[in-house]
Amino acid sequence: MRIYVGNLPYSVTDDDLRTIFSEFGELAAAEVIKDKFSGQSKGFGFVDMPSNSDADAAIKALNESDMKGRKLTVNEARPRAERPRGGGGGRY
């Protein structure tokens, strides 16, 4: 199951996410999403857990928990909504 983790402190790394979620079971991946130009964290990430029961336990335990003064949002990731690509339709 793919898990969305939001409202992360900007100092959190992939390894930090791995450490937190590994307490609940095996992880396939853990990634903090970063701005492709600056490399700065965007404040959210994703964790992939092969076992749905482990993922459910992690979501229940970590949602709204405190991490470095920020309340995390943890839930099952939903597919990204299709957005139209910019085609220069703005004003000049």
Side-chain angles (χ1 to χ4, degrees), residues 8 17 20-21 23 25-28 40 43 49 57 61 66 74 87-88 90:
L8 288 170
L17 269 187
I20 294 163
F21 279 84
E23 295 176 26
E26 184 182 338
L27 302 183
Q40 171 72 34
M49 297 185 84
D66 182 81
V74 183

Side-chain angles (χ1 to χ4, degrees), residues 85-92:
R85 289 282 179 190
R91 293 184 180 163
Y92 295 109

Side-chain angles (χ1 to χ4, degrees), residues 27-39:
L27 302 183
E31 179 184 20
V32 174
I33 304 303
K34 297 178 178 73
D35 181 274
K36 63 183 171 183
F37 299 109
S38 70

Side-chain angles (χ1 to χ4, degrees), residues 11-30:
S11 62
V12 170
T13 65
D14 295 351
D15 286 338
D16 294 332
L17 269 187
R18 236 179 252 111
T19 300
I20 294 163
F21 279 84
S22 66
E23 295 176 26
F24 298 93
E26 184 182 338
L27 302 183

Side-chain angles (χ1 to χ4, degrees), residues 50-64:
S51 165
N52 283 357
S53 62
D54 291 345
D56 288 337
I59 290 169
K60 285 179 185 162
L62 296 173
N63 188 42
E64 298 191 2

